[in-house]
Amino acid sequence: MSDMVVKNKRPFGFYVCSVAFMFERMAYYSAKYLIYVFVAATIATGGLGLTKVEAAYIQSNLVAFTYLAPIIGGYISDRFIGARYCVPVGIALMAAGYWIGASATDAVGMNIMVTLVAIGTGLFKGNVAAISGALFDDKEQLDSAFSTQYSFVNIGAFIGTTAVGLLVTKTFAHGDIQGFRAAFQVCAVICAIDLVWFLFGSKFLGEVGKKPFKLGKEVDKDVVVENKPLTKSEKKKVFAIILISTFSVIFWVFWYLTYLAAYDYGAAFINMNVSGFNVPLSWFDSLNSMTCIALGPVLGMLWFKLSKTARGDLSLFKKLGIGLGLLGAAFLMLVFAEFSRGVGASDASKASLLWLIAFGLLLSVGEMFFSPLGNSFVSKYAPNKMVSVLMGVWIFASFIAGKSYGYLYEFASKFSVIQAYSVIPAILFVAAVMLFVFDKKLTTLLEDESDDVEDALAS
């Protein structure tokens, strides 16, 4: 494979995987938006005519199980089937799922779509990332490469969410009937194009992913692996990972809720008309993607410059705290919007679109403080013998958040806008303050101790 890497140039196979990711995310984020508006829309406008709570549950299932399924997909490619063969099967299942969603007439049809897309994502997502990493002989290139791939992901999300709003309300709309079903079909077509692209690009992957990854790794048979107990430092790091996973649940469950809040409140109480043009609500998702694309290199440069100063970069826990605080501030924008239009006023009274934009910007900046931690945090601090288990803990935390926000939405819907969106920021601010107050103590959990030497001698 060394002939695929020239100096510091990235192998073309990396871009095959990155573009595949872009197409997949383009379809996924479009469908994620479509599910909620399609299920909750009235039958007269082309929707299923179910409740917003039912729509929230179906959407949350999509989010939750597309986080859980890659654990199973990774297990399959590690032990049984090469990743490059799992990926096209996954894309095909996603395409089938979106096509079934286009013809769904009830919640059962939508749940079949969610099941197929989740299984397809499980075979696709982690395996494409694994193939991407295995293409590089020089592991020093990986941080930069995966940052680039993250940009492809956000570009796909931006294109998808920007286009889907226009497709539904303009291109495929017929009178009062919105183009939900045709838009789902577009998602299926995007996956079909992705399938063709990946199959064509497979010839640029060399031998990577042809065998299960476990079989493709050389193991020194002379090395004896000792089953030593965890040291005190390792136990503290395990505790830190579990603790941060708990805060991750808090962050992501409210982060996912922001979208339902935006779709719900924005549709009813925000003036979406700008100079005669009705701004699609899906562009709220687009704002998030665009902000992440723009902020990625800016924050990366900021962290680098801070790391070179005498005080050093912000601690992990402070970054988490800032992310939680910004998310809390985002919800306050809906509170201010409600005050600006008149608390409890009818939907004839609209708040300015600027409040929704501020809402989207704050939650996106908060995401950029929080999101990049994930896998790198676990990989860096998890004891070697527990990397896979603790990576599963982190992913399972995302699953819990994805599964829970539908129930949280149902609960929050029982209260007024002012009540619900004032309590949520309070919870987030308390969590943020806790991370700042206990920062020094929490940081010590990640430090190695001299006691490790004693533990090693004792064992």
Side-chain angles (χ1 to χ4, degrees):
M1 187 186 27
S2 59
D3 60 334
M4 297 176 65
V5 182
V6 181
K7 295 182 180 179
N8 289 326
K9 292 183 179 179
R10 293 168 184 156
F12 185 74
F14 166 75
Y15 293 101
V16 170
C17 293
S18 296
V19 172
F21 244 134
M22 182 185 74
F23 280 126
E24 184 270 336
R25 294 287 91 180
M26 193 185 303
Y28 173 83
Y29 279 102
S30 297
K32 177 173 169 283
Y33 164 77
L34 281 170
I35 286 175
Y36 183 78
V37 293
F38 172 57
V39 172
T42 63
I43 295 175
T45 58
L48 292 186
L50 303 179
T51 67
K52 292 180 179 179
V53 170
E54 289 174 296
Y57 282 147
I58 295 172
Q59 190 200 65
S60 69
N61 281 336
L62 175 74
V63 173
F65 287 106
T66 52
Y67 271 109
L68 188 64
I71 300 176
I72 301 170
Y75 182 84
I76 291 172
S77 66
D78 273 349
R79 287 168 170 75
F80 304 113
I81 304 171
R84 69 192 297 171
Y85 305 116
C86 292
V87 169
V89 174
I91 299 173
L93 286 172
M94 287 186 280
Y98 294 135
W99 196 266
I100 288 173
S103 58
T105 56
D106 52 25
V108 173
M110 295 304 295
N111 284 324
I112 292 173
M113 184 200 81
V114 167
T115 301
L116 288 172
V117 172
I119 295 172
T121 303
L123 293 172
F124 175 91
K125 195 173 182 180
N127 289 324
V128 171
I131 291 171
S132 298
L135 286 167
F136 291 86
D137 291 329
D138 180 6
K139 300 307 177 185
E140 295 298 320
Q141 297 185 58
L142 288 181
D143 286 348
S144 173
F146 279 110
S147 293
T148 300
Q149 193 164 86
Y150 190 68
S151 294
F152 274 90
V153 166
N154 278 290
I155 289 169
F158 175 75
I159 295 172
T161 53
T162 302
V164 71
L166 295 175
L167 292 176
V168 168
T169 60
K170 305 291 183 184
T171 308
F172 298 133
H174 297 286
D176 292 333
I177 303 296
Q178 301 292 289
F180 302 118
R181 297 184 184 278
F184 272 120
Q185 290 175 340
V186 169
C187 293
V189 171
I190 291 171
C191 286
I193 294 171
D194 197 13
L195 178 60
V196 173
W197 166 258
F198 187 81
L199 291 174
F200 164 77
S202 291
K203 62 184 179 182
F204 297 102
L205 302 179
E207 296 299 309
V208 173
K210 283 188 175 181
K211 295 186 294 184
F213 283 116
K214 188 175 182 180
L215 299 178
K217 293 180 179 178
E218 296 181 2
V219 179
D220 190 342
K221 297 180 181 178
D222 296 329
V223 175
V224 178
V225 179
E226 297 183 47
N227 187 24
K228 294 182 179 180
L230 294 177
T231 65
K232 290 182 180 179
S233 291
E234 287 176 331
K235 289 177 181 178
K236 288 182 178 180
K237 290 175 182 177
V238 170
F239 175 72
I241 290 171
I242 294 173
L243 180 66
I244 292 303
S245 296
T246 303
F247 277 94
S248 175
V249 172
I250 296 172
F251 180 87
W252 289 113
V253 72
F254 288 116
W255 189 90
Y256 290 132
L257 185 65
T258 60
Y259 282 82
L260 299 184
Y263 301 155
D264 196 1
Y265 189 84
F269 303 120
I270 297 289
N271 181 10
M272 302 298 290
N273 191 283
V274 178
S275 300
F277 175 73
N278 198 44
V279 179
L281 266 175
S282 68
W283 285 12
F284 180 78
D285 300 56
S286 305
L287 176 63
N288 174 249
S289 300
M290 184 173 63
T291 305
C292 290
I293 293 169
L295 278 183
V298 175
L299 288 178
M301 188 180 300
L302 175 62
W303 304 147
F304 178 77
K305 287 188 175 181
L306 285 175
S307 68
K308 298 299 181 183
T309 63
R311 295 186 62 180
D313 193 3
L314 291 174
S315 73
L316 162 75
F317 302 100
K318 284 183 178 178
K319 287 180 181 178
L320 293 178
I322 293 172
L324 287 162
L326 287 168
L327 185 59
F331 276 100
L332 287 181
M333 296 303 103
L334 296 186
V335 174
F336 296 153
E338 183 68 3
F339 276 117
S340 72
R341 73 176 200 91
V343 177
S346 70
D347 58 9
S349 178
K350 305 287 187 181
S352 170
L353 179 59
L354 292 176
W355 291 115
L356 193 60
I357 293 174
F359 181 40
L361 288 173
L362 285 168
L363 75 90
S364 299
V365 179
E367 176 190 356
M368 291 305 293
F369 272 83
F370 205 101
S371 183
L373 299 172
N375 294 345
S376 61
F377 172 68
V378 177
S379 299
K380 187 174 181 180
Y381 294 109
N384 289 336
K385 66 176 71 176
M386 297 187 68
V387 172
S388 296
V389 173
L390 292 174
M391 192 68 77
V393 169
W394 183 267
I395 295 172
F396 190 65
S398 299
F399 166 75
I400 293 173
K403 188 71 177 137
S404 301
Y405 78 91
Y407 296 97
L408 181 60
Y409 174 78
E410 180 183 19
F411 180 73
S413 298
K414 298 176 181 179
F415 302 93
S416 69
V417 171
I418 295 296
Q419 290 172 321
Y421 299 143
S422 295
V423 171
I424 289 172
I427 296 171
L428 290 166
F429 291 150
V430 168
V433 170
M434 287 176 62
L435 287 171
F436 269 83
V437 170
F438 296 105
D439 173 61
K440 290 184 178 180
K441 289 186 178 180
L442 292 172
T443 300
T444 60
L445 295 174
L446 305 178
E447 297 173 352
D448 291 322
E449 297 183 356
S450 58
D451 290 341
D452 289 349
V453 177
E454 298 176 12
D455 288 342
L457 292 173
S459 62

